[in-house]
């Protein structure tokens, strides 16, 4: 497959100050809670044949932030992420397929809470630029939906009106600005 326009083969390392990972989950069946998880590191090894490229990422579950210290503490507890035992989330790509001119599905192994599952990460390559410091940057946006129960995140509370407090489905999104090595 042809390389996306502007991208060149080589290793790109995430600029963690310009890279973010977030999640969205339904709360009480009627609203959404959004949060972020710090990206510790990520790299994209872009191959001459783009579909042979590799992606790795590590996130710090201890830094989960939903804007509520009480909720963040609960998410860090054994009820959810159990950060004392499983402080990091990881993603390691296993294959890439094209789904459009700048759109791809990056299949990979996602580990959350010590449980690893194969997931399809839908990714859009959003372009390249040279920053004022001479760094060549490449940007990507990705999104996937997981079942939190599949990762052992089963805590919940029944609602008086029916349903549960926390939805099983969680949307995860990531925006990466990476610098060419």
């Amino acid at each position: 497959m042809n390389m996306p326009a502007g991208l060149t083969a080589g290793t790109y390392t995430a600029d963690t100050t310009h890279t973010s990972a977030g999640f969205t989950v339904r709360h009480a069946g009627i609203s959404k809670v959004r949060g972020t998880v710090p990206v510790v590191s990520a790299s994209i090894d872009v191959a001459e044949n783009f579909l042979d490229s590799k992606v790795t990422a590590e996130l710090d579950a201890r830094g989960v932030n939903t804007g509520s210290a009480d909720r963040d503490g609960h998410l860090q507890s054994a009820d959810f992420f159990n950060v004392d035992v499983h402080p990091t989330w990881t993603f390691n790509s296993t294959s890439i397929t094209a789904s459009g001119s700048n759109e791809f599905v990056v299949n990979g192994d996602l580990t959350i809470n010590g449980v690893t599952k194969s997931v399809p990460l839908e990714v859009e390559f959003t372009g390249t630029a040279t920053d004022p410091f001479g760094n060549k940057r490449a940007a990507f946006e990705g999104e996937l939906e997981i079942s939190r129960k599949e990762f052992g995140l089963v805590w919940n509370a029944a609602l008086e009106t029916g349903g549960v407090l926390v939805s099983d489905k969680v949307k995860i999104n990531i925006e990466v600005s990476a610098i060419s090595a």
Side-chain angles (χ1 to χ4, degrees):
M1 171 185 178
N2 292 337
M3 188 77 64
L7 195 61
T8 56
T11 299
Y12 292 76
T13 303
D15 173 356
T16 57
T17 62
H18 293 95
T19 296
S20 64
F23 61 89
T24 306
V25 63
R26 285 249 175 231
H27 180 261
I30 58 171
S31 63
K32 293 179 182 177
V33 169
R34 290 175 169 73
T36 59
V37 180
V39 177
V40 175
S41 65
S43 70
I44 304 137
D45 291 319
V46 177
E48 290 293 335
N49 174 352
F50 186 73
L51 299 183
D52 292 333
S53 300
K54 300 289 183 197
V55 177
T56 62
E58 181 178 326
L59 287 74
D60 183 359
R62 296 169 296 193
V64 65
N65 182 353
T66 63
S68 165
D70 289 341
R71 181 171 43 229
D72 297 346
H74 191 203
L75 288 172
Q76 293 167 355
S77 78
D79 283 346
F80 287 95
F81 302 138
N82 199 9
V83 300
D84 290 336
V85 177
H86 306 289
T88 59
W89 297 2
T90 60
F91 179 83
N92 292 293
S93 67
T94 55
S95 68
I96 299 175
T97 56
S99 58
S101 62
N102 283 327
E103 297 171 346
F104 307 89
V105 176
V106 180
N107 296 294
D109 294 329
L110 176 64
T111 302
I112 297 175
N113 195 33
V115 177
T116 302
K117 295 286 179 185
S118 293
V119 298
L121 176 64
E122 295 179 13
V123 175
E124 179 183 4
F125 167 66
T126 57
T128 59
T130 301
D131 68 23
F133 308 103
N135 297 310
K136 181 174 181 181
R137 291 179 177 268
F140 302 85
E141 295 177 359
E143 184 174 274
L144 71 129
E145 184 175 274
I146 64 167
S147 160
R148 66 186 184 88
K149 290 177 187 173
E150 289 182 357
F151 289 90
L153 305 171
V154 297
W155 182 92
N156 224 329
L159 298 175
E160 178 178 304
T161 56
V164 291
L165 186 63
V166 183
S167 169
D168 178 47
K169 298 296 179 191
V170 180
K171 289 186 180 178
I172 299 174
N173 59 51
I174 186 161
E175 295 185 18
V176 177
S177 177
I179 298 173
S180 177

